[in-house]
């Protein structure tokens, strides 16, 4: 990336309790069996509201990120749905979060439309805001919650949806990881076309492959330690491995079985869990891939 270096710090998340797929309310047994065979065994269901999930995550980020709330110039709220009203996260609840953590002077932005690629969209917007203004920190909040269990099976059959929230600071002053590369691609024909499941998956895999091959040569792909993507079923993971030309060992799949798909939160949850389970050396690089309905993203972070 050109310009002032940017960093991620204070990555924190919260998810619901583990529930076996077999216990899903109004679940189709045949669908459950197919998902289980493809590596999905649990989803996460939280008794907390989405505002409470976000509130908890933001508190952890500010406690661990080492940032004065007064230095946070903007807050980016990224939910998968196109309106915060649809997920029970309304303006008074957002105001409560900002007020409780001393963020009342920060500019508030909403990031939507890109579905589960909202994380990449939020990184794009946050990077632009930092470089266009005189503040040094942006707080990013991503989170979602299913209102009904029967809505947890994704229409594209990619995964089972889970409740959770994640937050972090995008910073110009330093952090745990430097954001070395960020790129997205879009295909607006998805707005007007009806895709079958296999066609949608194939198109997504090809778009991610193009973004993967466009990673700059100064970040050699064969030296990237792990690839983090959404917790999609193993059929999709195998197709993506073939497209990227990597072996299974390059992919972090430990959370596929136990977490399900936590909307836009997956890749940074997976990065955090991997880093907590192993000794990550400075200068180690990781690639993160995000999938939305019509937008895909790829970013590379390097351990500081």
């Amino acid at each position: 990336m050109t310009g002032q270096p940017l960093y991620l710090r204070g990555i924190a998340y919260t998810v619901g309790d583990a529930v076996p797929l077999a216990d899903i309310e109004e679940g189709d047994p045949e669908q459950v069996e197919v998902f289980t065979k493809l590596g999905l065994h649990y989803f996460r269901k939280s008794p907390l509201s989405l505002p409470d999930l976000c509130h908890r995550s933001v508190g952890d980020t500010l406690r661990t990120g080492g940032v004065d709330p007064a230095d946070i110039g903007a807050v980016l709220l990224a939910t998968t749905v196109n309106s915060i009203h649809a997920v029970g996260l309304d303006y008074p609840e957002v105001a409560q979060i900002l007020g409780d953590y001393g963020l009342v002077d920060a500019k508030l932005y909403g990031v939507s439309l890109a579905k589960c690629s909202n994380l990449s969209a939020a990184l794009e917007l946050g990077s632009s805001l930092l470089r266009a203004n005189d503040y040094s920190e942006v707080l990013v909040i991503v989170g979602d919650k299913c209102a009904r269990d029967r809505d947890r099976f994704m229409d594209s059959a990619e995964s089972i949806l889970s409740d959770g929230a994640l937050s972090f600071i995008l910073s110009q002053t330093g952090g745990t990881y430097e954001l070395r590369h960020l790129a997205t691609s879009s295909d607006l024909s998805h707005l007007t076309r009806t895709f079958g499941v296999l066609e949608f998956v194939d198109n997504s895999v090809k778009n991610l492959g193009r973004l993967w091959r466009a990673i700059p040569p100064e970040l050699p792909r064969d030296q990237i330690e792990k690839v983090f993507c959404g917790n999609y079923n193993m059929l999709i993971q195998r197709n993506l491995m073939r497209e990227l030309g990597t072996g299974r060992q390059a992919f972090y799949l430990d959370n596929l079985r136990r977490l399900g798909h936590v909307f836009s939160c997956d890749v940074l949850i997976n990065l955090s869990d991997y880093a907590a389970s192993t000794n990550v050396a400075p200068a180690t690089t990781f690639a993160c891939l995000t999938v939305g309905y019509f937008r895909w993203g790829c970013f590379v972070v390097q351990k500081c």
Side-chain angles (χ1 to χ4, degrees), residues 265-291:
C265 304
D266 276 4
V267 294
L268 289 185
I269 289 178
N270 293 344
L271 169 61
S272 296
D273 287 358
Y274 176 76
S277 68
T278 189
N279 183 26
V280 178
T284 301
T285 54
F286 302 103
C288 298
L289 306 176
T290 64
V291 177

Side-chain angles (χ1 to χ4, degrees), residues 43 62 65 81 103 164 204 223 303:
F43 66 95
L62 294 178
V81 297
L103 300 166
S204 291
Q223 294 181 27
K303 181 69 184 296

Side-chain angles (χ1 to χ4, degrees), residues 64-87:
T64 61
V67 173
D68 186 337
D71 292 332
I72 296 176
V75 175
L76 308 187
L77 181 62
T79 57
T80 296
V81 297
N82 299 334
S83 167
I84 62 173
H85 303 285
V87 289

Side-chain angles (χ1 to χ4, degrees), residues 22 117 253 266 301:
S117 204
L253 301 173
D266 276 4
V301 296

